Amino acid sequence: MAVFLDLLENAALMMALCFGQFVILRRLTDAGPARDLAQGVWFGLSAVFAMTLSVRVAPGIIFDTRSIVLALGALFGGPVAAAISMAIAVAWRLWLGGAGALIGSGVIVSCALAGLAMRQWIAGTPHRLRTLPLLLFGGGVHVLVLGWLSLLPDAAAAPVMRYLGLPYLAVMGVGTVIVGLMLRELELAYRFDSVIEESHRRYRHLFDQAEVALLEEDLGQVRRRLDELRQAGVTDLRAHLAAHPGEVARLADAVRVVRVNPAAVDLFGTGSTAALLGPIGRFFGPGAREIFIDELVAMWAGQSRIRRETRFSRADGTLIDAIISLPLPDSAETARQVPVSIVDVSAIRESERALDIVRRRLEEVLWGTDVGTWDWNVVTGETVFNERWAGIIGYRLDELLPVDIGTWEKYAHPDDLERSNTLLDDVLAGRRDFYECEARMRHRDGHWVWVLDRGKVTERAPDGQPVRMSGTHTEITARKEAEIRAARLADLRAILLRCHVDMLQAEDESDLFRLTAATLVEARGYSLIWLGLPQDDANRTVLPVASAGDTSWLDGLDVRWSDTPQGNGPSGRAIRDGIIQITRDLAEDTSFRPWAEAAAGHAFRSSAAVPVPDRTRVLAVINVYSSLPDAFDEDETALLLEFAHAFGLALEAMRLRVETQELNTELASAAMGTVSAVAATVEKRDPYTSGHQKNVAALSVAIAERLGWDRHRIEGLRLGATIHDIGKIYIPAEILNRPGRLSAPEFDMVKTHPAVGRDILKDTRFPWPILEMVAQHHERLDGSGYPAGLSGDAIIPEARIIAVADVADAMTAHRPYRPALGPDAAIAELRRGRGTAYDPAMVDACLAILQDGSTVWRDQPAA
């Protein structure tokens, strides 16, 4: 009975041990020296109590549960606690004394060290121990204890080992497991509580320190009221609330704010936490009531969370744009503490409103400037257009949705799209900084509109690849049409100028008619042009004199300008009335019926009959046919009228020119006769130079022909060379015919003959520079000539030719003071003075004549 009571007392001791550990873990929540000390003292005192409640098996030998206390104390308390408890227990056992004091102290030390070894083996995690490891640990510890007990004197050890060994191992092993499991649960509870406490602490810290407004709301009453409504048969909460608006207010007042953080106080401007606690409805702003209804409906439907943007009213009445987010409670218990976050987005919304104002103003500006915009994601192809972009081609933007880069490609003209893509490739590749292209787009009505498409790469990836490109579309249809019209008018003017050139180059009327018809057909692409001259015969026929294009139309053509069916067509009316006749559709014009069938066979669709006026009458009619209906618009008609007027002037001028040429021919013949008579007079006074002027004239003409001069200029050169020495008529014959060298005064007198010739001819009028030829034929390029010492371009080309021909003839002919020097001397002299005294081109032409002998230029060969 006594042993049973001892065991019961030890069991109570183990319970007390666990309770004390529970108290220590609850009071000393932070691990550290204080808790280690408390645990060491507690386990040491528990070992002392165990030894006090021991079973005495012999004098000085006790049997108790100190092994369990010390082993588990070291295992759960750690090294510091083990050392303290071990010291207390050893001191107490030694104080008790007796035969087993030393062995008992050894048991104490061994149990504590075994607990530390087990703690090391499980890496300091006793809370993870299971039953079997604890059982093995307890058995091992108490086998060690029995080992110590076997060292007792034989008189004491024998009964212990014989009667108590196995029961001791069983009881102590099971006791170790039971106490160890209890301590493990305490450790686990402590750890769980620590984790929960840490979580609460962190939550409180985050709650209080968060910059976002956080509230804890009690929705218990709201939850109960919703349950009541459900039980009352309400199925559609939103409809019920709409029918009972007071219910919404009551539910809003039932929402209680039970806790807030400082950020919430700042957000609502209440100045204190207490002022914010209570019903939340008083802070509702515009639209918040509807958001609250959404929250109630979501809770009713069993949703887990709701997030909405709404507006709250601050304590001072100002409004806040905020996003409210909260988990929706699914039970009455969770409804009592619902965390709510409110994010102030007022600054963001204000910026968005400001940006929206800027955007609207920009759109208004863009509309004012009539500009469409586009933004193209080069990677995805996604494209954003504004409303004006669509309006340019006659659509609303929503009619084109969905839009992408293919929308542009769909409406762009294929020819312009190819050019646009080439330019885009250059911009995307970085070869161009800016994209600009004029392109046509098909309008909703089917016609083409012109746009100026401009853009730039606005974003590139780190590797330089284009990501985004933005630009504008500006409608330039009116400008482009004006440019096209201007270009067309310029083209028409160019054609008119070309026709004028043809008129100037025409040699006679037939050439003028032919060139005019050919030029108009070639340049304007008309199907046929024919020019007709009105005849004054009995039938008043119109005679075709030139044509170009589909000339087979003229085969058997009968056109008149009399008042008959054949004379009332466009050509006849143009001649009679002097007014251009435009036929927009030949098939519909009744006056064209005599020729309608033939015109259809030639695919003629429209025509213009343009009169060529003179001062008093119509000289001719220009008939123009086109394969296009209504081909002669205002610009084309103006061109034809202007051309006809110029053509009439050219025709009249050509006829006057023919008359003038005939008169000039007669005058030239008379002038030539006069010049020849004068030249003959000069040569009679100087028989040695007989024929010189004529020979110089012939050689000069030959040189000019080699140089490619025209006939009219050569004729003037011939006349000038024929009388170039006319001034010698004033030189005494004895000086001209004197043999031997002349004296200096005599030679000076001879050198006056060019100036004398100029004075003789100064009152005459020729269509050529005869006066300059006579005065300059002894001038030299380098200024060494006479009488004026002219040089370079101051000497006219005709005088330069006469100078070369004069030297060539003079050196190859006899003179009173010397015999003929021959061609070789003349060639040598010309080569010597080439480029200095004489013009190189004239010298080269003369040398060619002297050397090849192909040109006969002398009447009398040199003797």
Side-chain angles (χ1 to χ4, degrees), residues 698-711 714 717-718 801 845 849 855:
L699 183 54
S700 296
V701 168
I703 293 173
E705 288 175 345
R706 282 189 176 261
L707 294 176
W709 286 18
D710 61 73
R711 291 176 298 175
I714 290 175
L717 176 63
R718 181 195 304 276
I801 289 181
I849 294 171
T855 301

Side-chain angles (χ1 to χ4, degrees), residues 393-626:
I393 54 176
Y395 292 91
R396 297 191 313 273
L397 186 59
D398 58 2
E399 293 178 306
L400 300 178
L401 296 176
V403 295
D404 55 21
I405 190 62
T407 307
W408 151 253
E409 296 173 344
K410 175 181 178 181
Y411 291 97
H413 194 287
D415 295 343
D416 301 333
L417 185 61
E418 181 178 355
R419 178 164 47 87
S420 169
N421 288 338
T422 300
L423 294 173
L424 275 176
D425 290 342
D426 289 344
V427 173
L428 295 177
R431 292 188 292 270
R432 289 175 178 264
D433 293 332
F434 198 82
Y435 164 77
E436 182 172 296
C437 179
E438 293 181 353
R440 288 161 291 180
M441 295 186 69
R442 184 174 294 280
H443 193 272
R444 184 175 197 158
D445 297 337
H447 64 276
W448 294 101
V449 296
W450 281 94
V451 297
L452 175 61
D453 188 12
R454 308 181 73 193
K456 189 174 184 179
V457 175
T458 54
E459 182 181 351
R460 290 187 181 272
D463 61 357
Q465 293 300 310
V467 175
R468 194 167 61 87
M469 187 172 181
S470 301
T472 61
H473 267 191
T474 305
E475 184 177 4
I476 56 170
T477 304
R479 191 198 82 190
K480 197 66 179 178
E481 288 178 348
E483 289 179 356
I484 293 173
R485 184 173 183 272
R488 183 167 177 267
L489 289 175
D491 184 47
L492 295 178
R493 298 296 180 189
I495 294 168
L496 188 62
L497 179 61
R498 181 177 171 185
C499 290
H500 286 172
V501 172
D502 289 341
M503 293 176 190
L504 294 174
Q505 292 179 348
E507 295 183 356
D508 50 34
E509 287 190 16
S510 62
D511 197 28
L512 175 64
F513 295 152
R514 179 185 57 80
L515 288 174
T516 298
T519 298
L520 287 176
V521 168
E522 177 187 352
R524 299 301 300 146
Y526 296 133
S527 298
L528 168 67
I529 287 182
W530 65 276
L531 283 82
L533 298 180
Q535 304 296 304
D536 289 326
D537 56 5
N539 293 325
R540 293 194 169 183
T541 58
V542 179
L543 177 65
V545 293
S547 61
D550 188 3
T551 57
S552 60
W553 159 262
L554 300 175
D555 295 341
L557 181 66
D558 183 10
V559 177
R560 306 178 185 181
W561 59 284
S562 58
D563 190 8
T564 62
Q566 283 75 20
N568 281 322
S571 301
R573 295 200 306 275
I575 293 173
R576 289 200 308 274
D577 302 337
I579 300 173
I580 187 171
Q581 303 295 317
I582 302 296
T583 306
R584 304 190 182 281
D585 190 340
L586 294 174
E588 299 296 329
D589 189 349
T590 57
S591 68
F592 201 76
R593 285 179 181 174
W595 308 276
E597 183 177 351
H602 290 267
F604 297 156
R605 298 291 303 278
S606 58
S607 72
V610 190
V612 178
D614 191 1
R615 295 183 181 88
T616 58
R617 61 191 181 94
V618 173
L619 298 177
V621 61
I622 303 174
N623 297 282
V624 186
Y625 297 86
S626 174

Side-chain angles (χ1 to χ4, degrees), residues 485-486 488-489 492 632-641:
R485 184 173 183 272
R488 183 167 177 267
L489 289 175
L492 295 178
F632 302 95
D633 58 12
E634 182 180 347
D635 295 332
E636 201 82 6
T637 301
L639 165 72
L640 292 174
L641 286 173

